[in-house]
Amino acid sequence: MDKKAISTLFALFAGIILFTYILVATPMPTTDLAASIVVQTFTAEAATSDVDIEVEEEILMPSYSDVAEGYPYFEAIEYITQNGIVEGYADGTYKPNAQINRAEFTKILVEAKLGLNPISYASDCFNDFDSSQWYASYVCYAKSNGIIEGYPDGSFGPANDINVAEAAKILVNVFEIEQIDPIGTDWYSVYIETMGSNAYLPPSFEYINDQVTRGEMAEMIWRVMEEQHGFVSAINLQNSPCTQLGEDIPANVDMGRVRATWLDWYNDVRADLDLAPYIYNDQLNRTAIIWSELAEDRGYIDHKRPGYTAYYDYYGILNWFENLGISFEAQGGYTYVENIAWEMYYCKDTEPDCTDAMINSIRKGFNFFVSEKGTSYTAHYDSIINPAFKEIGLGIAVDPTKNKYYLTVHYATKISSDPIRICD
């Protein structure tokens, strides 16, 4: 073999060694927040040249299995993740369409601003939680610094899903966004219009009482912190307010038929006594749903409102209604009544239709109510036949992990307030 061939072979051999060293010895750049793949290319020609050529192409991999590139809020979710503002779930998901409650939202915003757990705040700042709760320091810091105020009864409602108006107030106050002179006169007008004028509101919002999802939360934080702008009209939000029923019931249950059946049972009883039939009021459906879903979260149902010790505190429940914008007209000394029940429910999500199973299950609750007739305790039965009550609402929440449903019925004389309408 001549010298030239030996030289070429040696160069190729050296190139292979160098290539192997690059792949093995060079660590892959990864972080806890987003994985990267580094693709390195090497050519035989480069091995025989005087200059080694190495080309790196970085391909960013999504941080979460359920937030792919192309998702509307992908960039915002990646931003808050890579900046340590929010973490995903242990299963590798982010759940961008899940709603977020007031405690979670407040904690995330305060931590985004401070970068740490606040150490200076007034403890036991609201009457519906104590300092042992994971969110207590953040919520109490927010109250101490005028970021939030809570409800008139001294509660905060940490488990309540946060809506656009509430989220806008916290964002404006936490990040000290310069407030504009609002056109609207409601308490939230200045916050909504300030966010809107800066184009910090994502276009998915339609109504002032829309509940904020984790994806929308990420989008607002990203827009505020990075001065990213989109457009949604704050005036349109305020001119067409409505709130969703927010019902989270298995998809294979026809709640329209369930409610119609429940109403028929009630009105059959009233008809036998020549009483006017009940009608559903969507506002009462909403309040009943809210209480049933709180019961599902807690794993039990009762009448006791946060901050109250009595099992059935009339004024405590009345304040709870008022915090939801609901007031009642007194008729004959009556305003509202609440009935509750729970029972086992075994129909699975995999079944094609569980409507009849749900009806059969809640029938047990109805039978329990009417079985009180002629006994020493008739509170539930009296609610059904009270002539002062004209309207009802029915809310059901299902806990598939425990094979239970939680049921709430709200009865009312007449709603005297003007609550935000229920969305169509």
Side-chain angles (χ1 to χ4, degrees):
M1 183 180 296
D2 60 22
K3 292 183 178 180
K4 182 176 182 182
I6 294 173
S7 176
T8 301
L9 183 61
F10 179 80
L12 287 173
F13 181 73
I16 291 170
I17 293 173
L18 175 62
F19 176 65
T20 303
Y21 174 79
I22 291 172
L23 289 182
V24 175
T26 304
M28 295 288 280
T30 60
T31 69
D32 292 335
L33 302 169
S36 299
I37 297 176
V38 175
V39 180
Q40 296 181 316
T41 61
F42 182 83
T43 64
E45 289 78 9
T48 60
S49 67
D50 293 333
V51 180
D52 290 334
I53 299 175
E54 181 181 327
V55 179
E56 290 193 2
E57 178 187 355
E58 186 174 42
I59 303 173
L60 291 178
M61 302 297 290
S63 298
Y64 305 107
S65 60
D66 58 344
V67 184
E69 190 169 1
Y71 179 77
Y73 304 134
F74 173 80
E75 189 172 355
I77 291 169
E78 288 295 320
Y79 172 83
I80 65 170
T81 300
Q82 293 174 24
N83 283 277
I85 297 170
V86 171
E87 295 180 354
Y89 293 92
D91 63 358
T93 64
Y94 177 78
K95 296 181 174 51
N97 297 320
Q99 293 165 351
I100 186 165
N101 66 36
R102 286 162 57 87
E104 293 167 333
F105 190 87
T106 303
K107 175 188 181 295
I108 289 168
L109 266 292
V110 169
E111 200 164 48
K113 173 69 179 222
L114 298 179
L116 44 78
N117 190 334
I119 57 175
S120 178
Y121 57 90
S123 60
D124 297 328
C125 54
F126 291 104
N127 61 25
D128 54 348
F129 65 85
D130 59 38
S131 58
S132 66
Q133 298 299 319
W134 59 266
Y135 52 79
S137 61
Y138 301 93
V139 172
C140 290
Y141 171 87
K143 183 181 181 182
S144 298
N145 287 273
I147 295 169
I148 58 175
E149 296 176 5
Y151 297 121
D153 65 354
S155 66
F156 176 66
N160 295 347
D161 290 331
I162 197 164
N163 62 35
V164 181
E166 296 165 337
K169 176 178 179 178
I170 294 175
L171 279 158
V172 168
N173 287 339
V174 164
F175 291 105
E176 301 176 355
I177 302 170
E178 184 176 354
Q179 299 179 17
I180 67 170
D181 292 328
I183 297 173
T185 57
D186 294 297
W187 69 264
Y188 52 75
S189 295
V190 63
Y191 306 110
I192 288 291
E193 292 180 35
T194 295
M195 290 286 289
S197 68
N198 287 283
Y200 292 150
L201 296 172
S204 51
F205 291 141
E206 295 181 355
Y207 305 106
I208 220 71
N209 263 34
D210 279 355
Q211 293 172 330
V212 178
T213 66
R214 286 169 56 84
E216 291 163 337
M217 172 201 67
E219 182 74 8
M220 288 190 290
I221 294 174
W222 175 62
R223 290 188 182 197
V224 170
M225 295 185 72
E226 289 296 299
E227 288 295 326
Q228 300 290 332
H229 303 290
F231 180 74
V232 61
S233 170
I235 300 301
N236 288 344
L237 277 175
Q238 295 185 90
N239 286 345
S240 57
C242 75
T243 187
Q244 303 286 341
L245 273 180
E247 194 160 39
D248 184 17
I249 207 76
N252 57 1
V253 174
D254 181 352
M255 274 305 296
R257 186 152 71 88
V258 171
R259 282 201 172 89
T261 303
W262 183 269
L263 190 64
D264 286 344
W265 295 338
Y266 269 45
N267 286 336
D268 286 345
V269 174
R270 289 174 72 90
D272 289 342
L273 299 173
D274 294 324
L275 296 173
Y278 273 120
I279 60 171
Y280 277 123
N281 184 308
D282 270 346
Q283 297 291 347
L284 297 177
N285 283 332
R286 179 174 71 96
T287 57
I289 290 167
I290 290 171
W291 193 244
S292 291
E293 291 189 345
L294 178 62
E296 179 195 352
D297 291 340
R298 298 185 303 178
Y300 66 91
I301 191 164
D302 62 12
H303 298 287
K304 193 182 298 184
R305 266 32 181 196
Y308 294 86
T309 56
Y311 180 75
Y312 194 108
D313 189 310
Y314 171 83
Y315 291 104
I317 299 174
L318 190 64
N319 285 337
W320 180 83
F321 275 114
E322 290 175 350
N323 287 335
L324 295 171
I326 308 293
S327 299
F328 304 103
E329 181 180 292
Q331 295 182 9
Y334 295 98
T335 52
Y336 79 89
V337 163
E338 177 178 84
N339 287 172
I340 56 174
W342 69 269
E343 187 54 69
M344 305 308 292
Y345 171 78
Y346 294 103
C347 199
K348 302 297 183 182
D349 290 345
T350 53
E351 297 292 328
D353 191 339
C354 286
T355 306
D356 288 334
M358 176 63 75
I359 290 171
N360 292 335
S361 190
I362 66 172
R363 179 75 193 197
K364 297 175 184 177
F366 171 79
N367 289 343
F368 171 74
F369 291 169
V370 297
S371 69
E372 294 176 348
K373 180 181 178 180
T375 68
S376 60
Y377 182 83
T378 59
H380 299 94
Y381 178 71
D382 289 346
S383 301
I384 297 174
I385 66 170
N386 191 326
F389 296 134
K390 308 293 195 305
E391 302 175 336
I392 64 168
L394 174 68
I396 299 173
V398 175
D399 184 347
T401 64
K402 297 181 179 178
N403 296 315
K404 282 184 180 181
Y405 75 80
Y406 300 94
L407 179 147
T408 304
V409 186
H410 284 154
Y411 309 76
T413 52
K414 181 181 179 181
I415 293 178
S416 58
S417 57
D418 185 24
I420 294 177
R421 68 183 178 86
I422 304 297
C423 303
D424 297 331

